[in-house]
Amino acid sequence: MPEATAATDGTTAYFDGYGLVGLIAVLGVLFVAVAFGAGRLLRPVVPTPEKLLTYECGVDPVGEGWAHTQVRYYVYAFLYVIFAVDSVFLFPWATVFAAPGYGAATLVEMFVFLGFLAVGLLYAWKKGVLEWT
């Protein structure tokens, strides 16, 4: 019997950390709910026609509510994300490369990785994605 108690005590100690995280999460949600509820109860509610107007950067909106967005902006954002991920892989590689035991194989692997990125960049350049017109 004492063996089963020791096993349950070990699991209880293991799950105590999760209980604490759960308690903090519940307290955080309660704090936000109480803050929003208090704001709703304490704020003055005086609707006027001026307050019900659509507001856009301090100016009354003119024209339709539908705006066309150039796809180029998304392509630039996508290219940025690709190269940000590239840097996320390069920094740890640079630290590991200096350690003993990581030599030519690590260097070759990184040049293969950079080669794939270079081919992608060349493809984007050939397609005219990098031109702002």
Side-chain angles (χ1 to χ4, degrees):
M1 274 312 216
E3 295 170 6
T5 314
T8 56
D9 287 341
T11 57
T12 303
Y14 177 75
F15 286 115
D16 282 346
Y18 289 112
L20 183 62
V21 170
L23 178 66
I24 291 172
V26 167
L27 287 175
V29 169
L30 278 174
F31 179 76
V32 171
V34 167
F36 275 113
R40 185 175 183 124
L41 291 174
L42 297 175
R43 72 176 179 226
V45 180
V46 185
T48 61
E50 289 84 16
K51 287 184 180 179
L52 298 176
L53 283 176
T54 305
Y55 183 77
E56 185 177 304
C57 297
V59 181
D60 291 335
V62 178
E64 296 180 19
W66 185 261
H68 298 283
T69 305
Q70 293 287 334
V71 176
R72 275 190 205 101
Y73 300 124
Y74 296 111
V75 172
Y76 281 109
F78 187 64
L79 286 172
Y80 169 77
V81 167
I82 288 172
F83 287 106
V85 169
D86 173 36
S87 66
V88 166
F89 283 116
L90 280 175
F91 285 124
W93 170 80
T95 59
V96 168
F97 184 69
Y102 297 96
T106 308
L107 187 64
V108 169
E109 289 171 356
M110 189 47 63
F111 276 116
V112 168
F113 176 69
L114 291 174
F116 280 121
L117 288 174
V119 168
L121 184 62
L122 287 173
Y123 178 77
W125 181 53
K126 287 282 193 182
K127 286 292 204 178
V129 171
L130 304 177
E131 305 218 0
W132 192 274
T133 57

